Amino acid sequence: MLETHNNKITPPQAVEGTPKATGDINDLLALMARLRADCPWDVKQTNHSLIPYAIEEAYELAEAVQEGDVEDIKGELGDVLLQVVFHCQIYAEKHQFDLSDVIYTLQSKLIRRHPHVFEADKLADDEAVKKRWDEIKALENAERERRGKPKRSLDNVKAGSALMQAQSLQKEASKLGFDWDGIEGAIEKLEEEIAELKQIIPADGHKPDVALKAELEKELGDCMFALVNVARKLSLDAEAATLTCVHKFKSRFGYIEAQLAQLGKSLEDSDIEEMDALWEAAKRHERSS
């Protein structure tokens, strides 16, 4: 049962005319309602179709915070808030809950999980706070079970990127004895999965049909999961390793673009042979710097 303080959910009233930015949350809700009424792209979105955007915006916020540009951080926080408002608008249209219910639920959770702040439950340090937080979460999970949501062994794995979840799942499964003793088994499994993927990859120039595409996605997922397991066995963070590669790729590609610009050329004016040579030059530049 949803925690709610509303007996009747009424979607926000759409703003009329050309709105102005005011900084008022109610004006934002009215603007979102207008977009849901009149923007073709916004109209066709669903809570499920918005999931990739919510994940993307969270990562862009993290990157902005790391870079420290205050204007970018404000913009990215706004994009994250947009996802919250967008989801709430759609659920309100279905008369399930609205933004005030989300705020109410959050307030209740924060008050419930901070008895050391709001009640006579004084805790000595942050470790004690963390211990009490976990105890309260355990009580909340027990309540969820009473509501018919069974607790399973891997339910402690938090949401995150696919790599993060894969590594956390494998770590939890290992604690329960579902693991190889050494890295050899993980590497053999990776090689096995890659071989299975290679068997169904179509020849060059042949696009997979819907059924084959689904099978390729499954096999590729198995390969990724197996590779994450290798990372775990090496005590490496798969997410951090991938992010390192992403940043390295962006840096090297930026080097290619800059070198071409010095020659008065653009990426469109170049070919794969020239770009590959500059890629190797970028690698040498990294090693020398």
Side-chain angles (χ1 to χ4, degrees), residues 6-43:
N6 285 339
N7 294 322
K8 183 178 181 181
I9 304 300
T10 303
Q13 187 77 26
V15 65
E16 297 182 357
T18 303
K20 294 181 180 180
T22 65
D24 187 295
I25 187 66
N26 291 314
D27 291 337
L28 175 59
L29 294 175
L31 173 56
M32 187 71 252
R34 172 72 177 278
L35 295 177
R36 279 286 291 174
D38 293 342
C39 174
W41 187 87
D42 289 309
V43 167

PDB file of all heavy atoms in Angstrom, residues 6-43:
ATOM      1  N   ASN A   6      -3.062  11.879   0.840  1.00  0.00           N
ATOM      2  CA  ASN A   6      -4.159  12.402   0.033  1.00  0.00           C
ATOM      3  C   ASN A   6      -5.250  11.350  -0.122  1.00  0.00           C
ATOM      4  O   ASN A   6      -4.962  10.184  -0.382  1.00  0.00           O
ATOM      5  CB  ASN A   6      -3.668  12.805  -1.365  1.00  0.00           C
ATOM      6  CG  ASN A   6      -2.878  14.098  -1.337  1.00  0.00           C
ATOM      7  OD1 ASN A   6      -2.999  14.881  -0.408  1.00  0.00           O
ATOM      8  ND2 ASN A   6      -2.053  14.310  -2.343  1.00  0.00           N
ATOM      9  N   ASN A   7      -6.493  11.751   0.013  1.00  0.00           N
ATOM     10  CA  ASN A   7      -7.601  10.833  -0.246  1.00  0.00           C
ATOM     11  C   ASN A   7      -8.009  10.853  -1.716  1.00  0.00           C
ATOM     12  O   ASN A   7      -8.518   9.885  -2.240  1.00  0.00           O
ATOM     13  CB  ASN A   7      -8.814  11.216   0.615  1.00  0.00           C
ATOM     14  CG  ASN A   7      -8.543  11.007   2.095  1.00  0.00           C
ATOM     15  OD1 ASN A   7      -7.895  10.039   2.466  1.00  0.00           O
ATOM     16  ND2 ASN A   7      -9.024  11.920   2.924  1.00  0.00           N
ATOM     17  N   LYS A   8      -7.746  11.975  -2.376  1.00  0.00           N
ATOM     18  CA  LYS A   8      -8.121  12.119  -3.773  1.00  0.00           C
ATOM     19  C   LYS A   8      -6.990  12.803  -4.515  1.00  0.00           C
ATOM     20  O   LYS A   8      -6.558  13.891  -4.151  1.00  0.00           O
ATOM     21  CB  LYS A   8      -9.408  12.942  -3.903  1.00  0.00           C
ATOM     22  CG  LYS A   8      -9.902  13.073  -5.337  1.00  0.00           C
ATOM     23  CD  LYS A   8     -11.198  13.861  -5.393  1.00  0.00           C
ATOM     24  CE  LYS A   8     -11.705  13.969  -6.837  1.00  0.00           C
ATOM     25  NZ  LYS A   8     -12.965  14.757  -6.914  1.00  0.00           N
ATOM     26  N   ILE A   9      -6.502  12.139  -5.568  1.00  0.00           N
ATOM     27  CA  ILE A   9      -5.395  12.678  -6.354  1.00  0.00           C
ATOM     28  C   ILE A   9      -5.945  13.458  -7.539  1.00  0.00           C
ATOM     29  O   ILE A   9      -6.684  12.918  -8.360  1.00  0.00           O
ATOM     30  CB  ILE A   9      -4.474  11.559  -6.857  1.00  0.00           C
ATOM     31  CG1 ILE A   9      -3.964  10.718  -5.695  1.00  0.00           C
ATOM     32  CG2 ILE A   9      -3.306  12.141  -7.643  1.00  0.00           C
ATOM     33  CD1 ILE A   9      -3.170  11.493  -4.671  1.00  0.00           C
ATOM     34  N   THR A  10      -5.596  14.721  -7.619  1.00  0.00           N
ATOM     35  CA  THR A  10      -6.008  15.569  -8.735  1.00  0.00           C
ATOM     36  C   THR A  10      -4.773  16.061  -9.467  1.00  0.00           C
ATOM     37  O   THR A  10      -3.921  16.721  -8.849  1.00  0.00           O
ATOM     38  CB  THR A  10      -6.822  16.786  -8.247  1.00  0.00           C
ATOM     39  OG1 THR A  10      -7.942  16.327  -7.502  1.00  0.00           O
ATOM     40  CG2 THR A  10      -7.286  17.628  -9.421  1.00  0.00           C
ATOM     41  N   PRO A  11      -4.622  15.736 -10.748  1.00  0.00           N
ATOM     42  CA  PRO A  11      -3.433  16.192 -11.482  1.00  0.00           C
ATOM     43  C   PRO A  11      -3.327  17.712 -11.469  1.00  0.00           C
ATOM     44  O   PRO A  11      -4.348  18.415 -11.432  1.00  0.00           O
ATOM     45  CB  PRO A  11      -3.676  15.666 -12.905  1.00  0.00           C
ATOM     46  CG  PRO A  11      -4.637  14.538 -12.741  1.00  0.00           C
ATOM     47  CD  PRO A  11      -5.516  14.922 -11.589  1.00  0.00           C
ATOM     48  N   PRO A  12      -2.120  18.278 -11.487  1.00  0.00           N
ATOM     49  CA  PRO A  12      -1.947  19.721 -11.509  1.00  0.00           C
ATOM     50  C   PRO A  12      -2.640  20.366 -12.700  1.00  0.00           C
ATOM     51  O   PRO A  12      -2.771  19.759 -13.762  1.00  0.00           O
ATOM     52  CB  PRO A  12      -0.428  19.893 -11.604  1.00  0.00           C
ATOM     53  CG  PRO A  12       0.126  18.620 -11.045  1.00  0.00           C
ATOM     54  CD  PRO A  12      -0.852  17.556 -11.431  1.00  0.00           C
ATOM     55  N   GLN A  13      -3.100  21.599 -12.521  1.00  0.00           N
ATOM     56  CA  GLN A  13      -3.744  22.355 -13.587  1.00  0.00           C
ATOM     57  C   GLN A  13      -2.684  22.915 -14.517  1.00  0.00           C
ATOM     58  O   GLN A  13      -1.715  23.529 -14.075  1.00  0.00           O
ATOM     59  CB  GLN A  13      -4.573  23.504 -12.988  1.00  0.00           C
ATOM     60  CG  GLN A  13      -5.425  24.258 -13.979  1.00  0.00           C
ATOM     61  CD  GLN A  13      -6.684  23.484 -14.347  1.00  0.00           C
ATOM     62  OE1 GLN A  13      -7.158  22.660 -13.565  1.00  0.00           O
ATOM     63  NE2 GLN A  13      -7.209  23.744 -15.523  1.00  0.00           N
ATOM     64  N   ALA A  14      -2.854  22.730 -15.811  1.00  0.00           N
ATOM     65  CA  ALA A  14      -1.862  23.198 -16.777  1.00  0.00           C
ATOM     66  C   ALA A  14      -1.841  24.721 -16.851  1.00  0.00           C
ATOM     67  O   ALA A  14      -2.888  25.373 -16.801  1.00  0.00           O
ATOM     68  CB  ALA A  14      -2.158  22.619 -18.161  1.00  0.00           C
ATOM     69  N   VAL A  15      -0.647  25.304 -16.961  1.00  0.00           N
ATOM     70  CA  VAL A  15      -0.511  26.748 -17.102  1.00  0.00           C
ATOM     71  C   VAL A  15      -1.034  27.173 -18.473  1.00  0.00           C
ATOM     72  O   VAL A  15      -0.921  26.440 -19.451  1.00  0.00           O
ATOM     73  CB  VAL A  15       0.971  27.174 -16.923  1.00  0.00           C
ATOM     74  CG1 VAL A  15       1.850  26.597 -18.036  1.00  0.00           C
ATOM     75  CG2 VAL A  15       1.090  28.687 -16.886  1.00  0.00           C
ATOM     76  N   GLU A  16      -1.615  28.348 -18.541  1.00  0.00           N
ATOM     77  CA  GLU A  16      -2.122  28.864 -19.811  1.00  0.00           C
ATOM     78  C   GLU A  16      -1.191  29.943 -20.334  1.00  0.00           C
ATOM     79  O   GLU A  16      -0.458  30.588 -19.578  1.00  0.00           O
ATOM     80  CB  GLU A  16      -3.536  29.418 -19.619  1.00  0.00           C
ATOM     81  CG  GLU A  16      -4.555  28.366 -19.204  1.00  0.00           C
ATOM     82  CD  GLU A  16      -5.952  28.944 -19.060  1.00  0.00           C
ATOM     83  OE1 GLU A  16      -6.101  30.168 -19.220  1.00  0.00           O
ATOM     84  OE2 GLU A  16      -6.881  28.160 -18.770  1.00  0.00           O
ATOM     85  N   GLY A  17      -1.239  30.148 -21.643  1.00  0.00           N
ATOM     86  CA  GLY A  17      -0.419  31.182 -22.247  1.00  0.00           C
ATOM     87  C   GLY A  17       1.057  30.823 -22.217  1.00  0.00           C
ATOM     88  O   GLY A  17       1.440  29.651 -22.114  1.00  0.00           O
ATOM     89  N   THR A  18       1.931  31.828 -22.304  1.00  0.00           N
ATOM     90  CA  THR A  18       3.379  31.617 -22.252  1.00  0.00           C
ATOM     91  C   THR A  18       3.853  31.826 -20.829  1.00  0.00           C
ATOM     92  O   THR A  18       3.797  32.946 -20.310  1.00  0.00           O
ATOM     93  CB  THR A  18       4.107  32.594 -23.194  1.00  0.00           C
ATOM     94  OG1 THR A  18       3.614  32.427 -24.527  1.00  0.00           O
ATOM     95  CG2 THR A  18       5.610  32.346 -23.161  1.00  0.00           C
ATOM     96  N   PRO A  19       4.325  30.761 -20.174  1.00  0.00           N
ATOM     97  CA  PRO A  19       4.715  30.873 -18.756  1.00  0.00           C
ATOM     98  C   PRO A  19       6.047  31.598 -18.582  1.00  0.00           C
ATOM     99  O   PRO A  19       6.819  31.764 -19.534  1.00  0.00           O
ATOM    100  CB  PRO A  19       4.819  29.417 -18.307  1.00  0.00           C
ATOM    101  CG  PRO A  19       5.183  28.682 -19.554  1.00  0.00           C
ATOM    102  CD  PRO A  19       4.489  29.390 -20.683  1.00  0.00           C
ATOM    103  N   LYS A  20       6.318  32.023 -17.359  1.00  0.00           N
ATOM    104  CA  LYS A  20       7.590  32.621 -16.984  1.00  0.00           C
ATOM    105  C   LYS A  20       8.224  31.797 -15.874  1.00  0.00           C
ATOM    106  O   LYS A  20       7.530  31.171 -15.078  1.00  0.00           O
ATOM    107  CB  LYS A  20       7.384  34.060 -16.504  1.00  0.00           C
ATOM    108  CG  LYS A  20       6.906  35.021 -17.587  1.00  0.00           C
ATOM    109  CD  LYS A  20       6.766  36.433 -17.018  1.00  0.00           C
ATOM    110  CE  LYS A  20       6.291  37.404 -18.095  1.00  0.00           C
ATOM    111  NZ  LYS A  20       6.145  38.789 -17.564  1.00  0.00           N
ATOM    112  N   ALA A  21       9.557  31.806 -15.839  1.00  0.00           N
ATOM    113  CA  ALA A  21      10.267  31.125 -14.761  1.00  0.00           C
ATOM    114  C   ALA A  21      10.101  31.923 -13.470  1.00  0.00           C
ATOM    115  O   ALA A  21      10.339  33.133 -13.454  1.00  0.00           O
ATOM    116  CB  ALA A  21      11.742  30.985 -15.108  1.00  0.00           C
ATOM    117  N   THR A  22       9.645  31.262 -12.410  1.00  0.00           N
ATOM    118  CA  THR A  22       9.375  31.952 -11.147  1.00  0.00           C
ATOM    119  C   THR A  22      10.124  31.364  -9.958  1.00  0.00           C
ATOM    120  O   THR A  22      10.244  32.015  -8.928  1.00  0.00           O
ATOM    121  CB  THR A  22       7.870  31.902 -10.822  1.00  0.00           C
ATOM    122  OG1 THR A  22       7.498  30.520 -10.594  1.00  0.00           O
ATOM    123  CG2 THR A  22       7.035  32.482 -11.953  1.00  0.00           C
ATOM    124  N   GLY A  23      10.594  30.126 -10.062  1.00  0.00           N
ATOM    125  CA  GLY A  23      11.227  29.457  -8.929  1.00  0.00           C
ATOM    126  C   GLY A  23      10.230  28.834  -7.976  1.00  0.00           C
ATOM    127  O   GLY A  23      10.610  28.314  -6.925  1.00  0.00           O
ATOM    128  N   ASP A  24       8.939  28.840  -8.335  1.00  0.00           N
ATOM    129  CA  ASP A  24       7.882  28.287  -7.495  1.00  0.00           C
ATOM    130  C   ASP A  24       7.565  26.860  -7.954  1.00  0.00           C
ATOM    131  O   ASP A  24       7.306  26.627  -9.134  1.00  0.00           O
ATOM    132  CB  ASP A  24       6.637  29.170  -7.580  1.00  0.00           C
ATOM    133  CG  ASP A  24       5.555  28.750  -6.601  1.00  0.00           C
ATOM    134  OD1 ASP A  24       5.022  27.633  -6.740  1.00  0.00           O
ATOM    135  OD2 ASP A  24       5.245  29.549  -5.700  1.00  0.00           O
ATOM    136  N   ILE A  25       7.553  25.913  -7.024  1.00  0.00           N
ATOM    137  CA  ILE A  25       7.328  24.517  -7.375  1.00  0.00           C
ATOM    138  C   ILE A  25       5.952  24.304  -7.986  1.00  0.00           C
ATOM    139  O   ILE A  25       5.782  23.490  -8.893  1.00  0.00           O
ATOM    140  CB  ILE A  25       7.527  23.598  -6.144  1.00  0.00           C
ATOM    141  CG1 ILE A  25       7.473  22.122  -6.556  1.00  0.00           C
ATOM    142  CG2 ILE A  25       6.497  23.892  -5.072  1.00  0.00           C
ATOM    143  CD1 ILE A  25       8.605  21.679  -7.434  1.00  0.00           C
ATOM    144  N   ASN A  26       4.945  25.048  -7.534  1.00  0.00           N
ATOM    145  CA  ASN A  26       3.602  24.893  -8.092  1.00  0.00           C
ATOM    146  C   ASN A  26       3.546  25.357  -9.545  1.00  0.00           C
ATOM    147  O   ASN A  26       2.839  24.777 -10.369  1.00  0.00           O
ATOM    148  CB  ASN A  26       2.586  25.664  -7.249  1.00  0.00           C
ATOM    149  CG  ASN A  26       2.387  25.038  -5.882  1.00  0.00           C
ATOM    150  OD1 ASN A  26       2.226  23.826  -5.765  1.00  0.00           O
ATOM    151  ND2 ASN A  26       2.422  25.855  -4.838  1.00  0.00           N
ATOM    152  N   ASP A  27       4.313  26.408  -9.856  1.00  0.00           N
ATOM    153  CA  ASP A  27       4.375  26.860 -11.246  1.00  0.00           C
ATOM    154  C   ASP A  27       5.082  25.826 -12.114  1.00  0.00           C
ATOM    155  O   ASP A  27       4.729  25.635 -13.282  1.00  0.00           O
ATOM    156  CB  ASP A  27       5.100  28.203 -11.334  1.00  0.00           C
ATOM    157  CG  ASP A  27       4.294  29.335 -10.717  1.00  0.00           C
ATOM    158  OD1 ASP A  27       3.056  29.200 -10.630  1.00  0.00           O
ATOM    159  OD2 ASP A  27       4.899  30.352 -10.338  1.00  0.00           O
ATOM    160  N   LEU A  28       6.081  25.136 -11.539  1.00  0.00           N
ATOM    161  CA  LEU A  28       6.757  24.070 -12.272  1.00  0.00           C
ATOM    162  C   LEU A  28       5.798  22.921 -12.564  1.00  0.00           C
ATOM    163  O   LEU A  28       5.784  22.367 -13.671  1.00  0.00           O
ATOM    164  CB  LEU A  28       7.957  23.568 -11.466  1.00  0.00           C
ATOM    165  CG  LEU A  28       8.710  22.363 -12.040  1.00  0.00           C
ATOM    166  CD1 LEU A  28       9.254  22.663 -13.428  1.00  0.00           C
ATOM    167  CD2 LEU A  28       9.839  21.935 -11.095  1.00  0.00           C
ATOM    168  N   LEU A  29       4.977  22.553 -11.580  1.00  0.00           N
ATOM    169  CA  LEU A  29       4.006  21.478 -11.786  1.00  0.00           C
ATOM    170  C   LEU A  29       2.995  21.857 -12.859  1.00  0.00           C
ATOM    171  O   LEU A  29       2.600  21.024 -13.687  1.00  0.00           O
ATOM    172  CB  LEU A  29       3.288  21.170 -10.470  1.00  0.00           C
ATOM    173  CG  LEU A  29       4.145  20.577  -9.346  1.00  0.00           C
ATOM    174  CD1 LEU A  29       3.330  20.428  -8.068  1.00  0.00           C
ATOM    175  CD2 LEU A  29       4.741  19.247  -9.762  1.00  0.00           C
ATOM    176  N   ALA A  30       2.559  23.129 -12.863  1.00  0.00           N
ATOM    177  CA  ALA A  30       1.617  23.596 -13.880  1.00  0.00           C
ATOM    178  C   ALA A  30       2.256  23.587 -15.263  1.00  0.00           C
ATOM    179  O   ALA A  30       1.604  23.279 -16.265  1.00  0.00           O
ATOM    180  CB  ALA A  30       1.128  25.007 -13.530  1.00  0.00           C
ATOM    181  N   LEU A  31       3.551  23.923 -15.325  1.00  0.00           N
ATOM    182  CA  LEU A  31       4.278  23.885 -16.597  1.00  0.00           C
ATOM    183  C   LEU A  31       4.386  22.456 -17.108  1.00  0.00           C
ATOM    184  O   LEU A  31       4.183  22.186 -18.298  1.00  0.00           O
ATOM    185  CB  LEU A  31       5.662  24.501 -16.391  1.00  0.00           C
ATOM    186  CG  LEU A  31       6.657  24.410 -17.547  1.00  0.00           C
ATOM    187  CD1 LEU A  31       6.086  25.026 -18.814  1.00  0.00           C
ATOM    188  CD2 LEU A  31       7.972  25.081 -17.166  1.00  0.00           C
ATOM    189  N   MET A  32       4.683  21.513 -16.199  1.00  0.00           N
ATOM    190  CA  MET A  32       4.784  20.108 -16.599  1.00  0.00           C
ATOM    191  C   MET A  32       3.440  19.596 -17.101  1.00  0.00           C
ATOM    192  O   MET A  32       3.380  18.844 -18.087  1.00  0.00           O
ATOM    193  CB  MET A  32       5.246  19.277 -15.396  1.00  0.00           C
ATOM    194  CG  MET A  32       5.550  17.805 -15.710  1.00  0.00           C
ATOM    195  SD  MET A  32       7.052  17.592 -16.679  1.00  0.00           S
ATOM    196  CE  MET A  32       6.377  17.122 -18.274  1.00  0.00           C
ATOM    197  N   ALA A  33       2.373  19.994 -16.450  1.00  0.00           N
ATOM    198  CA  ALA A  33       1.031  19.587 -16.890  1.00  0.00           C
ATOM    199  C   ALA A  33       0.747  20.111 -18.290  1.00  0.00           C
ATOM    200  O   ALA A  33       0.136  19.426 -19.118  1.00  0.00           O
ATOM    201  CB  ALA A  33      -0.018  20.097 -15.907  1.00  0.00           C
ATOM    202  N   ARG A  34       1.191  21.326 -18.578  1.00  0.00           N
ATOM    203  CA  ARG A  34       0.995  21.912 -19.915  1.00  0.00           C
ATOM    204  C   ARG A  34       1.780  21.134 -20.973  1.00  0.00           C
ATOM    205  O   ARG A  34       1.277  20.870 -22.073  1.00  0.00           O
ATOM    206  CB  ARG A  34       1.433  23.376 -19.887  1.00  0.00           C
ATOM    207  CG  ARG A  34       1.452  24.051 -21.250  1.00  0.00           C
ATOM    208  CD  ARG A  34       0.038  24.315 -21.790  1.00  0.00           C
ATOM    209  NE  ARG A  34       0.111  25.014 -23.065  1.00  0.00           N
ATOM    210  CZ  ARG A  34       0.283  26.343 -23.187  1.00  0.00           C
ATOM    211  NH1 ARG A  34       0.377  27.111 -22.100  1.00  0.00           N
ATOM    212  NH2 ARG A  34       0.348  26.894 -24.374  1.00  0.00           N
ATOM    213  N   LEU A  35       3.019  20.765 -20.627  1.00  0.00           N
ATOM    214  CA  LEU A  35       3.824  19.998 -21.569  1.00  0.00           C
ATOM    215  C   LEU A  35       3.182  18.635 -21.854  1.00  0.00           C
ATOM    216  O   LEU A  35       3.195  18.159 -22.993  1.00  0.00           O
ATOM    217  CB  LEU A  35       5.240  19.808 -21.012  1.00  0.00           C
ATOM    218  CG  LEU A  35       6.078  21.084 -20.850  1.00  0.00           C
ATOM    219  CD1 LEU A  35       7.427  20.750 -20.223  1.00  0.00           C
ATOM    220  CD2 LEU A  35       6.262  21.797 -22.185  1.00  0.00           C
ATOM    221  N   ARG A  36       2.624  18.023 -20.808  1.00  0.00           N
ATOM    222  CA  ARG A  36       1.964  16.733 -20.992  1.00  0.00           C
ATOM    223  C   ARG A  36       0.708  16.856 -21.844  1.00  0.00           C
ATOM    224  O   ARG A  36       0.266  15.899 -22.462  1.00  0.00           O
ATOM    225  CB  ARG A  36       1.596  16.144 -19.631  1.00  0.00           C
ATOM    226  CG  ARG A  36       2.759  15.463 -18.950  1.00  0.00           C
ATOM    227  CD  ARG A  36       3.099  14.138 -19.580  1.00  0.00           C
ATOM    228  NE  ARG A  36       2.065  13.123 -19.339  1.00  0.00           N
ATOM    229  CZ  ARG A  36       2.065  11.914 -19.878  1.00  0.00           C
ATOM    230  NH1 ARG A  36       3.021  11.561 -20.723  1.00  0.00           N
ATOM    231  NH2 ARG A  36       1.108  11.055 -19.592  1.00  0.00           N
ATOM    232  N   ALA A  37       0.164  18.052 -21.895  1.00  0.00           N
ATOM    233  CA  ALA A  37      -1.061  18.269 -22.686  1.00  0.00           C
ATOM    234  C   ALA A  37      -0.747  18.626 -24.130  1.00  0.00           C
ATOM    235  O   ALA A  37      -1.476  18.210 -25.042  1.00  0.00           O
ATOM    236  CB  ALA A  37      -1.901  19.378 -22.048  1.00  0.00           C
ATOM    237  N   ASP A  38       0.352  19.373 -24.352  1.00  0.00           N
ATOM    238  CA  ASP A  38       0.538  19.982 -25.675  1.00  0.00           C
ATOM    239  C   ASP A  38       1.824  19.606 -26.401  1.00  0.00           C
ATOM    240  O   ASP A  38       1.960  19.905 -27.585  1.00  0.00           O
ATOM    241  CB  ASP A  38       0.489  21.514 -25.547  1.00  0.00           C
ATOM    242  CG  ASP A  38      -0.894  22.021 -25.155  1.00  0.00           C
ATOM    243  OD1 ASP A  38      -1.870  21.256 -25.321  1.00  0.00           O
ATOM    244  OD2 ASP A  38      -0.994  23.151 -24.658  1.00  0.00           O
ATOM    245  N   CYS A  39       2.788  19.007 -25.716  1.00  0.00           N
ATOM    246  CA  CYS A  39       4.037  18.633 -26.393  1.00  0.00           C
ATOM    247  C   CYS A  39       3.942  17.181 -26.859  1.00  0.00           C
ATOM    248  O   CYS A  39       3.767  16.277 -26.037  1.00  0.00           O
ATOM    249  CB  CYS A  39       5.231  18.801 -25.460  1.00  0.00           C
ATOM    250  SG  CYS A  39       6.784  18.183 -26.166  1.00  0.00           S
ATOM    251  N   PRO A  40       4.054  16.909 -28.172  1.00  0.00           N
ATOM    252  CA  PRO A  40       3.899  15.535 -28.692  1.00  0.00           C
ATOM    253  C   PRO A  40       4.867  14.541 -28.049  1.00  0.00           C
ATOM    254  O   PRO A  40       4.482  13.407 -27.761  1.00  0.00           O
ATOM    255  CB  PRO A  40       4.183  15.694 -30.191  1.00  0.00           C
ATOM    256  CG  PRO A  40       3.847  17.118 -30.488  1.00  0.00           C
ATOM    257  CD  PRO A  40       4.232  17.887 -29.267  1.00  0.00           C
ATOM    258  N   TRP A  41       6.112  14.966 -27.791  1.00  0.00           N
ATOM    259  CA  TRP A  41       7.084  14.037 -27.202  1.00  0.00           C
ATOM    260  C   TRP A  41       6.719  13.739 -25.760  1.00  0.00           C
ATOM    261  O   TRP A  41       6.730  12.587 -25.330  1.00  0.00           O
ATOM    262  CB  TRP A  41       8.497  14.625 -27.273  1.00  0.00           C
ATOM    263  CG  TRP A  41       9.551  13.647 -26.837  1.00  0.00           C
ATOM    264  CD1 TRP A  41      10.187  12.722 -27.611  1.00  0.00           C
ATOM    265  CD2 TRP A  41      10.068  13.474 -25.506  1.00  0.00           C
ATOM    266  NE1 TRP A  41      11.077  11.987 -26.855  1.00  0.00           N
ATOM    267  CE2 TRP A  41      11.029  12.429 -25.551  1.00  0.00           C
ATOM    268  CE3 TRP A  41       9.829  14.103 -24.280  1.00  0.00           C
ATOM    269  CZ2 TRP A  41      11.730  12.003 -24.433  1.00  0.00           C
ATOM    270  CZ3 TRP A  41      10.530  13.675 -23.161  1.00  0.00           C
ATOM    271  CH2 TRP A  41      11.473  12.638 -23.239  1.00  0.00           C
ATOM    272  N   ASP A  42       6.401  14.778 -24.992  1.00  0.00           N
ATOM    273  CA  ASP A  42       6.056  14.578 -23.580  1.00  0.00           C
ATOM    274  C   ASP A  42       4.785  13.750 -23.428  1.00  0.00           C
ATOM    275  O   ASP A  42       4.670  12.952 -22.490  1.00  0.00           O
ATOM    276  CB  ASP A  42       5.868  15.938 -22.891  1.00  0.00           C
ATOM    277  CG  ASP A  42       7.186  16.682 -22.715  1.00  0.00           C
ATOM    278  OD1 ASP A  42       8.139  16.083 -22.194  1.00  0.00           O
ATOM    279  OD2 ASP A  42       7.253  17.851 -23.096  1.00  0.00           O
ATOM    280  N   VAL A  43       3.841  13.937 -24.329  1.00  0.00           N
ATOM    281  CA  VAL A  43       2.559  13.231 -24.246  1.00  0.00           C
ATOM    282  C   VAL A  43       2.741  11.718 -24.343  1.00  0.00           C
ATOM    283  O   VAL A  43       2.078  10.957 -23.646  1.00  0.00           O
ATOM    284  CB  VAL A  43       1.602  13.728 -25.349  1.00  0.00           C
ATOM    285  CG1 VAL A  43       0.392  12.798 -25.487  1.00  0.00           C
ATOM    286  CG2 VAL A  43       1.136  15.151 -25.051  1.00  0.00           C
TER     287      VAL A  43
END
